[in-house]
Amino acid sequence: MRTLIALVLMLAACAPVARPLPSPEPTSPTPAPTPTPTATASPTPVAPPTARLDDPIVTVMAAPFPVVATFALTKSAIAPGDTDLARRGVQYYLAGLDRYRDNGDFLPVGGAFGKAVAAALVASRTPGVKRTFVLESLRVESVYRKPWGTLALADARVTIADHAVDGSSPDQRETGLLRLGGDDRRLSVSDSWDDAAGRWFNGRIAEDPAGLRQAIAQPIGWYLRTESWLVGLPPETYFDGAGATPFQKARAAYFASFDRAVTKARTFADVTATIERFDTFAEMAGGMATVRVAAALVTTDAAGRTQRQAVARRVKVFFGNWSPEVVDEEVTPGVWRSGGDLALVDLDVNRA
């Protein structure tokens, strides 16, 4: 501390002494500059935000629900077109195997079967040799249809050659039973018979309750949006009458009962959905979820007054060959809009 104090004193003693500056001579005052006027930009009018109708947010409740194997597949006669469908499905599958072996970025099957296929493809890579899979023969051994008639599964015995494009090595052949799933427009390879274990590699994969809950949120939100509108927006059309099911026709009649001159806006808020049960197949995934929906119906009348009313719905959400969709609604206990005719053969189609 003494050293620091001495240093400060030394610096102070050596510092120059300040002397007063001479007084400045008087000068004539300088006039202040005249400000130059600047142009002011005119304000740009801001357009009000455009109203937009969105799907309501749907909160799916985590309550447990039963999964029941209600639907049964029926073994049916093999139709002439089934072989062509199976052939196209297997050829698509083989093209996917080629791509995975070459690039490692696409595998057309999943589950235990997919893992076994991926390991075999990696082991079959031959440096410097371009190989491709060729379908040499195919015979459909059995087909299965859903209760409403849609093709569900086809089992095909195939012989596949692993061919060297330049002929530098001999072909490798394998014969086995493939299972394809889909509909009457498209089949895809989904499984293979494991001769050593005496069962299908993948078999029946059980439904994941969490996945089912997640999957119903979008169709429920869309379903409620189709009967919603906002002030100033033109009505949206969701029904043209072409190929309509009994339920869709009944719902169109329900839409026609709305009086938009009286109700200027109609939306849903605080939407919750609870799965009561899921009816499925013993042999494959898919089926029907029965869902209870609760929401607040928010309406605005011609005078601008807004009201909220609690509403409850009970609907059926179908999981088929397309995205899950609402296919029926209970009007009164035990009475459904479809009249009992869900026309699933028209809906259970891959629309891609």
Side-chain angles (χ1 to χ4, degrees), residues 174-194:
E174 183 176 356
T175 298
L177 188 64
L178 292 177
R179 169 157 283 182
L180 299 93
D183 60 11
D184 294 271
R185 296 178 56 190
R186 183 176 303 167
L187 290 173
S188 301
V189 173
S190 60
D191 210 346
S192 177
W193 183 256
D194 184 351

Side-chain angles (χ1 to χ4, degrees), residues 104-305:
D105 62 344
F106 173 75
L107 190 64
V109 289
F113 177 44
K115 292 179 181 179
V117 169
L121 289 173
V122 171
S124 69
R125 289 172 180 162
T126 306
V129 178
K130 173 69 174 177
R131 305 187 70 88
T132 186
F133 290 100
V134 178
L135 177 61
E136 292 192 337
S137 67
L138 178 146
R139 183 181 74 253
V140 176
E141 294 192 347
S142 54
V143 296
Y144 301 87
R145 293 188 174 272
K146 297 177 182 177
W148 43 91
T150 301
L151 180 61
L153 298 174
D155 297 336
R157 189 162 299 278
V158 299
T159 297
I160 297 169
D162 187 3
H163 174 67
V165 175
D166 61 1
S168 59
S169 61
D171 293 347
Q172 302 173 16
R173 287 177 173 80
E174 183 176 356
T175 298
L177 188 64
L178 292 177
R179 169 157 283 182
L180 299 93
D183 60 11
D184 294 271
R185 296 178 56 190
R186 183 176 303 167
L187 290 173
S188 301
V189 173
S190 60
D191 210 346
S192 177
W193 183 256
D194 184 351
D195 288 318
R199 59 175 178 80
W200 296 101
F201 270 96
N202 287 339
R204 173 69 166 88
I205 300 175
E207 276 80 11
D208 175 22
L212 290 173
R213 292 189 190 99
Q214 183 179 7
I216 69 166
Q218 191 278 332
I220 295 293
W222 169 255
Y223 183 75
L224 296 177
R225 174 183 169 175
T226 58
E227 55 182 88
S228 304
W229 61 87
L230 293 174
V231 176
L233 288 183
E236 298 183 10
T237 302
Y238 305 96
F239 173 78
D240 59 8
T245 67
F247 166 68
Q248 291 168 341
K249 292 177 181 177
R251 187 155 167 80
Y254 170 62
F255 289 167
S257 70
F258 296 146
D259 189 343
R260 299 197 182 204
V262 174
T263 305
K264 294 296 185 180
R266 187 180 196 271
T267 57
F268 292 86
D270 305 328
V271 182
T272 63
T274 304
I275 300 178
E276 291 184 351
R277 62 180 285 149
F278 187 76
D279 294 281
T280 186
F281 303 87
E283 304 88 348
M284 60 180 294
M288 188 81 67
T290 303
V291 184
R292 285 185 289 109
V293 179
L297 174 61
V298 184
T299 58
T300 302
D301 62 18
R305 293 171 300 205

Side-chain angles (χ1 to χ4, degrees), residues 55-117:
D55 294 1
I57 297 174
V58 179
T59 301
V60 182
M61 310 307 287
F65 56 90
V67 177
V68 185
T70 306
F71 305 121
L73 298 182
T74 302
K75 189 172 183 178
S76 62
I78 300 171
D82 294 341
T83 299
D84 292 336
L85 283 175
R87 185 179 302 279
R88 288 198 296 269
V90 172
Q91 288 173 336
Y92 177 82
Y93 164 72
L94 296 181
L97 298 189
D98 284 339
R99 176 174 166 182
Y100 184 84
R101 182 163 57 183
D102 292 344
N103 306 314
D105 62 344
F106 173 75
L107 190 64
V109 289
F113 177 44
K115 292 179 181 179
V117 169

